Amino acid sequence: MADNENIKNLYGKDAIDKIRELVKKESICMFTTRLAEAPLSTRPMSTQEPDEDGNLWFFSSKSSHKNQHIEADPKIQLFYSNPGNYEFLSVYGTASINLDIDKIKDMWTPFLKAWFQEGTDDPEISLIKVIPEDAYYWDTKNNKMVSMIKILTSVVVGKTMDDGVEGKLEV
């Protein structure tokens, strides 16, 4: 268990800022549906820019399994991992399918044409909006180099030198 000094819970705008910071550094997550039944269904998904309320957005095909899963049960879990910087984020929330063409056009990038050949007019295009309900992060207090030096020093001197910080994020 982490020491109290390593726990830093964040609330409101601070929590939203932390989610935005971590997602900006690593936009690919493991998007998990079917939480109430085994097997869970997990696939990698690219997150669009989180909005000012901390909601997370994803492009998806209307006929995809994930959209079908969300329609049956909107509870989802997202797992972000940026091991290069020792940053991790878990988000539990409620997902909904969004077909708002203005929102689709606003979030569209040319890269998405790989999945939606007709662009924003593609009949299969949809957005998934995830409203975070519970989130938790793990991060380093310092940069990767300082963390590695502390880990190596810890091994040499035989003393735990925890460089991590973690906490609950309440949007």
Side-chain angles (χ1 to χ4, degrees):
M1 186 74 181
D3 295 333
N4 284 343
E5 68 186 44
N6 294 337
I7 302 291
K8 186 174 182 186
N9 297 327
L10 301 174
Y11 306 93
K13 184 175 178 342
D14 290 336
I16 292 170
D17 289 346
K18 188 64 171 181
I19 288 171
R20 291 175 61 107
E21 170 195 337
L22 294 174
V23 170
K24 185 175 183 175
K25 291 179 184 176
E26 182 53 63
S27 66
I28 304 295
C29 71
M30 295 305 290
F31 190 110
T32 305
T33 55
R34 295 173 37 123
L35 300 182
E37 58 184 281
L40 302 176
S41 185
T42 302
R43 78 283 290 154
M45 294 284 290
S46 179
T47 314
Q48 304 308 303
E49 181 78 21
D51 67 25
E52 60 280 350
D53 295 323
N55 299 315
L56 303 167
W57 294 85
F58 302 85
F59 277 91
S60 180
S61 175
K62 288 178 185 176
S63 60
S64 70
H65 287 112
K66 76 184 118 355
N67 283 39
Q68 293 169 14
H69 296 166
I70 289 166
E71 288 172 358
D73 179 2
K75 297 302 182 187
I76 58 88
Q77 185 93 35
L78 309 174
F79 300 97
Y80 293 87
S81 175
N82 186 349
N85 288 328
Y86 301 136
E87 298 169 325
F88 307 92
L89 174 65
S90 172
V91 178
Y92 172 82
T94 300
S96 61
I97 309 301
N98 185 305
L99 302 176
D100 179 351
I101 191 64
D102 291 332
K103 188 71 171 172
I104 289 169
K105 286 179 179 179
D106 183 50
M107 301 193 105
W108 178 261
T109 67
F111 179 73
L112 292 163
K113 195 148 180 151
W115 291 273
F116 302 102
Q117 291 295 308
E118 296 179 41
T120 56
D121 295 325
D122 194 302
E124 275 294 303
I125 198 166
S126 72
L127 284 169
I128 297 173
K129 176 183 179 181
V130 175
I131 300 172
E133 293 177 20
D134 190 42
Y136 205 87
Y137 76 99
W138 298 262
D139 200 350
T140 55
K141 293 178 186 174
N142 300 295
N143 65 36
K144 183 178 178 180
M145 183 60 75
V146 172
S147 295
M148 287 304 295
I149 291 169
K150 284 187 171 193
I151 290 169
L152 292 173
T153 302
S154 176
V155 170
V156 172
V157 300
K159 180 182 175 194
T160 301
M161 301 177 106
D162 188 6
D163 189 42
V165 62
E166 62 184 85
K168 185 172 180 65
L169 299 170
E170 292 185 25
V171 177

